Amino acid sequence: MSELTKAYEPAVVEDRLYQWWTESGIYAANPASPKPGFSIVIPPPNVTGVLTLGHVLNNTIQDILARRARQQGFEVLWLPGTDHAGIATQTVVERQLKKEKKLTRHDVGREDFLKLVWEWKEKHGGIIINQLKKLGCSCDWARERFTMDEAYARKVQEVFVDLYAKGLIYRGKRMVNWCPVSRTALSDEEVIPKPQKGFLYYFQLEVIEEPGTFLEIATTRPETIMGDTALAVNPNDPRYARLIGKHVLRPLPTEERSPIPIVGDDAVDFDFGTGVLKVTPAHDKADYEIGQRHSLPIIDIMNPDGTLNDLAGDGFAGLDRFEARVEAVERLKELGILTREEPYENTVGFSERADVPVEPRLSEQWFLKYPKTAEAKAAVKDGLIRFFPDRWEKVYDHWLENIQDWCISRQLWWGHRIPVWTIEGNTDAANLKCQIESPGEGWVQDSDVLDTWFSSWLWAHETMDAKTLAKFYPTSVLVTGPDIIFFWVARMIMAGLEYTGEVPFREVVFTGIIRDKQGRKMSKSLGNSPDPLDLIAKFGADGLRFGLLRIAPQGQDIRFDENQIVEGRNFCNKLWNACRFRAMQGPLDPQASPRDHDLPLFCADMLGRLDETIRNVDEAYTSHRFSEVAQALYDFVWGDFCDRFIETAKADFFGEGGPRREATLAAMDFAISRILRLLHPFTPFVTEELWQGLGFGQGATIQLAEWPTPAGFPILPECENAFAALSAARTARSNYNIPSNQKLNWQLQVSQDWVIGELTALASLLNAKEIEVVTAPPEELSATVPTTIGTFYLPLGGLVDVEAECTRLEGEINKVDLEISKVRGKLASTTFVQNAPAEVVDEHRSREAGWIARRETLDAAVRGLRG
RNA sequence: GCGCGGUUAGCUCAGUGGUAGAGCACUGCCUUGACACGGCAGGGGUCACAGGUUCGAACCCUGUAUCGCGCACCA
């Protein structure tokens, strides 16, 4: 296959190979297989999603695990699919409807709107799946699932009914997080706290029973005054305690200034503001609780869309909450009771999806008391599930410790409908039936749908049929971002324990978050998120995968830099060309057995380093340190295999041939076969193309080629010495400003016998005309390069300016003197000599000896030059 | 406020007790029969700061600064 192109061209390779792979059926997981099972369920991306670098990282890791497991002889299931993503998808379709037809979902009605969403899903829902294929993901595509597949949807309903029957699901009127844009309740996890700059407004009210006594109140939300039903002070606050039980006149709405009581409540912080709190039970969680304790009335002054309603009074009704704030301040000013306003920064909860402040709102919702929380905690604590990195265990634990009931109902249309029925017009709890099918005529189903995560939390097991479960459940590993540890990971563990009696996965690998070069999160609005498909087009899927994985240390955030992907591409090209070089030497032997040859030292050494690389790689895999795997392979391929081994092998290949050439070829074929297999999980395309092109598989895919194991070759120290010696000789050449293409006659006074046998190789590596073995330093002007394998002499006749060279050497002598004094200082320290381990002291002694030798060499060189 | 993570070369990052590393960028030489997406050589770092432990600290301990992320918050 000497017709390999000069550079690797991924574009022409990837689609062809991917099609071959999927058609070959290799990704189809067989539950009846005698092989041990290995399984992963994909974290289902939103159907609305397009591939991001986060997905690339996450799915490449899963693909690496799946591919390696296949090579190791496991029956692999990587189960793909997408999530219906309630709010996100509904919003996308609503936006489209508005844009194209100027209609809202209410204009078209629930049924027709859902038809539109399904149409949208059929049309666009496959985008991200196709993008994953471009990346090379080896999923079992025939098993692709969607969280609203019929069977899956049924399971979601069954689980609801079951949890209801167990008394874990209940309906209640509670304070919830309300998104005025999406007009639905949200779970606590969907609320993102953000610091906001605003004002703290102070106003004062006169105590009715004590004319002349004023209470000053501080608030950030004057627009809720109309909903106030009390003031609260701390009963232990000496300033105000005596006023408890008395009243003030609520200043707004102006047309109905009712008296409200002053209550005493421990929740009031004396030190904040004035120590007097206005209590708005309908619009603040803490106030609601105070209201409950004091049986205060609740006045809800807001509409679901965040505008104020009639209860807010004239001038407020119909205003948006933020407009109302301005208006309320105006009114307070008019009343002459606004005492001051101070700039103030506080934290406000924002809706994750709509990115607007969430409104605490009292509403009737469905809640879940989580099942199996103690077991879920224990599963991680006892090591049934291992987290990588393990620091996330603490976060997980803390959340479970402080777990709150989950608000699972959403006032949306797109999602799993709540399987609860009531007789029309009678929502009484006694007349409520929780079941999947309608109880009959006159019964209407709850109009709400379930939180998307209430379906995703069943993903690990409800995506599998009974046979598949038996073979592949619990899954081996879950790969996901730490941002959904509560949303998904923790909940899946609880659902798994409740419905399968087992943990859903044995290990969880948390990836880092990909940021831009400034450390900011990737986001559409910032425009700092490169399109992975562009990167694939430019650098190849393998280049992207390898480049990204190499800089993604376990669980650490990553600053993305396109240069890293360039390096990934370059690496693939390097590998390609190393193989191309091999192909030029004639046909290769897929079964090459270097043990059957008398191996040159450098070959044996390279094979020893390959063994070590395999050991390091396997070790890194045990704790999912993928960047270390990538780096180890990069270093071996580029440094040991290409720079050292191939360069040395050239002397054999371009020489006379014979057994030495055969031995080197065998070592090379043996190594390439392993390199390709080791790299395959990271760079599937280029390795398969080379595997086929070089004839290793004889038509069979590399994907099932056995994972390599060490072959028992040791690393040879004399080789390390030889390369260090060559480096020293080349440094000397460079220091004398001799162009590297100038072929010189070197001389070498050898100190080790084996060197004689490697002179041709050494000459090739030095680009020397020849290396002449001498027994004494030459007469003519030469640079002297002492090394562990002997002393090189570089003829300088006519090549250097003697004076300039002496000056340079003297400069170097000064540096060496400095090093000598450092080491001697160390050795003169009695504490060091007495207490350090003997080998450390010896190391310093030999270091000292090395520097002294270096110094003598330099002295000799100067003496030699000056003649 | 509590918890977690980061701070190492111009840049992106490795490196958990024994002479500070890689890639990119930079400088010089080289298009030598795999690769210029390349080769060889080189310059460049008081490892955020201050204490401590140790013969020895980038690494362990304590504290500080700073950036980021969670969690909980006071109107």
Side-chain angles (χ1 to χ4, degrees), chain A residues 471-606:
Chain A
K471 177 78 186 175
F472 293 107
Y473 187 87
T475 63
S476 312
V477 51
L478 181 78
V479 182
T480 191
D483 48 334
I484 55 173
I485 186 169
F486 311 136
F487 279 117
W488 198 47
V489 179
R491 288 169 180 166
M492 244 197 308
I493 293 172
M494 291 185 267
L497 290 167
E498 180 74 7
Y499 288 103
T500 68
E502 291 192 83
V503 295
F505 28 74
R506 302 288 187 205
E507 298 182 329
V508 183
V509 174
F510 289 107
T511 64
I513 291 168
I514 302 190
R515 303 174 175 284
D516 69 5
K517 276 190 94 167
Q518 284 88 52
R520 302 173 305 182
K521 259 189 178 174
M522 297 276 180
S523 81
K524 262 189 195 164
S525 53
L526 281 173
N528 59 353
S529 174
D531 182 348
L533 290 215
D534 290 345
L535 295 171
I536 289 176
K538 276 168 81 177
F539 307 114
D542 290 335
L544 173 60
R545 291 166 60 119
F546 193 87
L548 189 60
L549 263 289
R550 196 158 73 97
I551 56 158
Q554 191 195 61
Q556 278 314 337
D557 287 359
I558 296 145
R559 281 180 199 240
F560 179 78
D561 181 351
E562 191 172 292
N563 265 328
Q564 306 291 346
I565 311 306
V566 172
E567 287 177 36
R569 183 223 24 205
N570 293 355
F571 177 69
C572 293
N573 189 55
K574 186 76 179 175
L575 175 72
W576 178 264
N577 274 290
C579 291
R580 177 166 173 254
F581 174 71
R582 171 61 190 86
M584 288 171 170
Q585 313 310 318
L588 121 181
D589 176 8
Q591 309 302 332
S593 172
R595 283 213 175 281
D596 301 340
H597 295 80
D598 188 11
L599 286 177
L601 282 175
F602 76 98
C603 291
D605 181 66
M606 181 274 288

Side-chain angles (χ1 to χ4, degrees), chain A residues 58-168:
Chain A
N58 186 278
N59 288 288
T60 299
I61 289 174
Q62 293 173 69
D63 197 41
I64 287 168
L65 291 167
R67 288 180 182 275
R68 178 161 177 264
R70 278 188 207 98
Q71 289 175 277
Q72 289 178 315
F74 289 92
E75 180 69 22
V76 172
L77 166 62
W78 182 13
L79 197 150
T82 48
D83 192 296
H84 68 280
I87 299 181
T89 311
Q90 178 165 319
T91 308
V92 166
V93 178
E94 278 186 292
R95 203 176 295 145
Q96 184 183 315
L97 192 62
K98 184 119 203 172
K99 201 172 160 191
E100 290 175 4
K101 296 183 181 161
K102 306 240 182 280
L103 295 174
T104 68
R105 72 178 204 258
H106 301 281
D107 295 330
V108 297
R110 185 162 188 152
E111 211 164 305
D112 287 338
F113 179 76
L114 287 179
K115 267 187 206 156
L116 288 175
V117 183
W118 276 107
E119 277 169 27
W120 187 94
K121 188 257 172 188
E122 294 312 321
K123 206 166 153 193
H124 305 286
I127 290 179
I128 195 160
I129 294 294
N130 287 322
Q131 292 178 322
L132 288 173
K133 292 177 181 176
K134 280 275 181 197
L135 232 203
C137 293
S138 59
C139 301
D140 183 355
W141 296 110
R143 291 178 184 267
E144 185 184 332
R145 297 286 186 271
F146 178 52
T147 52
M148 280 180 50
D149 285 342
E150 213 178 316
Y152 195 96
R154 175 124 194 138
K155 284 291 179 185
V156 172
Q157 307 244 314
E158 282 174 14
V159 163
F160 186 100
V161 172
D162 177 68
L163 291 169
Y164 181 83
K166 287 172 177 158
L168 294 173

Side-chain angles (χ1 to χ4, degrees), chain A residues 9 159 213 218 246 321 421 458 474 487-488 503 520 532 683 689 737:
Chain A
E9 290 162 16
V159 163
T213 301
K246 301 196 161 92
R321 52 193 168 144
W421 307 79
L458 309 175
F487 279 117
W488 198 47
V503 295
R520 302 173 305 182
T683 56
E689 182 69 2
N737 293 322

